[in-house]
């Protein structure tokens, strides 16, 4: 006779306590070590300016700066970066003033729907600080991982070039 068997109990995931400096503010939280940094930013910290496009490293919409370097937050386990300094789009505006690169995106029409824009801006910041923004060709090459479905590339490149000249 067939017997009904209970499904095996799934153990609760362990949690890690991690701390970050996010946009200049210290934050500490307990999280599932399997969570991506993108999900932690969006779902735990309500920092939804960083977008989830492909969630597999192919579009660049989730680009942020970690310890000053560009990374794809969807491919990054948050628990591996405890202690890191994280910058997201929400941290760029200061005292009600947009960052010069944000202003340049507006001035050069570097966006249409805006879904890719926060990733483009964070990637543009990284591109400039790495010294990879001295020509349109160089900007195109070093930002080639940031995809824009609207095709706003001419404005994006012009905005990054303009901000690079001014900084
Ligand atoms: S959402 Fe991370 S690369 Fe597309
Ligand atoms: S502005 Fe629409 S995807 Fe880039």
């Amino acid at each position: 006779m067939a017997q009904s068997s209970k499904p095996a109990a799934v153990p609760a995931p362990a949690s890690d306590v991690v701390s970050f400096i996010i946009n200049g503010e210290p934050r500490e939280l307990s999280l599932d070590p399997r969570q991506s940094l993108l999900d932690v930013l969006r779902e735990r910290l309500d920092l939804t300016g960083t977008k989830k496009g492909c969630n597999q490293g192919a579009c660049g919409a989730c680009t942020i700066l970690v310890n000053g370097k560009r990374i794809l937050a969807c491919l990054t386990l948050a628990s591996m970066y405890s202690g890191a300094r994280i910058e997201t789009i929400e941290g760029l505006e200061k005292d009600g003033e947009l960052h010069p690169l944000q202003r340049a995106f507006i001035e050069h029409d570097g966006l249409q729907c805006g879904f890719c824009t926060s990733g483009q801006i964070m990637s543009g910041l990284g591109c400039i600080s790495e010294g990879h923004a001295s020509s349109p060709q160089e900007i195109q090459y070093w930002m080639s991982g940031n995809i824009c479905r609207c095709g706003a590339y001419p404005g994006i490149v012009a905005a990054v070039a303009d901000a690079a000249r001014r900084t």
Side-chain angles (χ1 to χ4, degrees):
M1 188 170 78
Q3 291 191 342
S4 64
S5 57
K6 279 189 183 173
V10 178
S15 66
D16 285 351
V17 176
V18 299
S19 55
F20 306 111
I21 308 288
I22 301 190
N23 299 327
E25 283 190 23
R27 304 292 299 261
E28 184 175 283
L29 68 165
S30 162
L31 51 77
D32 181 332
R34 299 168 299 180
Q35 276 188 302
S36 71
L37 187 48
L38 178 60
D39 286 344
V40 169
L41 290 172
R42 291 181 56 82
E43 294 169 15
R44 300 289 308 281
L45 298 168
D46 283 335
L47 293 170
T48 54
T50 304
K51 300 303 181 202
K52 184 184 276 190
C54 63
N55 204 28
Q56 55 185 15
C59 74
C62 64
T63 307
I64 58 171
L65 300 181
V66 174
N67 297 328
K69 294 198 180 342
R70 296 185 270 182
I71 65 152
L72 297 174
C74 71
L75 293 186
T76 302
L77 289 175
S79 58
M80 292 175 65
Y81 281 86
S82 190
R85 181 169 47 84
I86 294 172
E87 292 164 76
T88 70
I89 193 76
E90 288 89 348
L92 296 191
E93 181 190 311
K94 296 276 183 277
D95 302 324
E97 289 284 321
L98 292 179
H99 185 281
L101 184 54
Q102 291 176 301
R103 283 206 304 277
F105 264 70
I106 295 169
E107 288 162 14
H108 292 277
D109 283 334
L111 65 149
Q112 290 183 38
C113 77
F115 191 82
C116 73
T117 308
S118 56
Q120 301 281 3
I121 290 175
M122 298 312 291
S123 186
L125 282 177
C127 189
I128 292 169
S129 70
E130 292 157 18
H132 291 142
S134 63
S135 69
Q137 293 75 19
E138 197 180 23
I139 293 166
Q140 282 167 2
Y141 179 82
W142 287 98
M143 289 187 59
S144 60
N146 288 82
I147 307 301
C148 175
R149 280 182 297 182
C150 300
Y153 297 113
I156 292 168
V157 172
V160 174
D162 192 9
R165 273 193 300 273
R166 292 195 227 167
T167 51

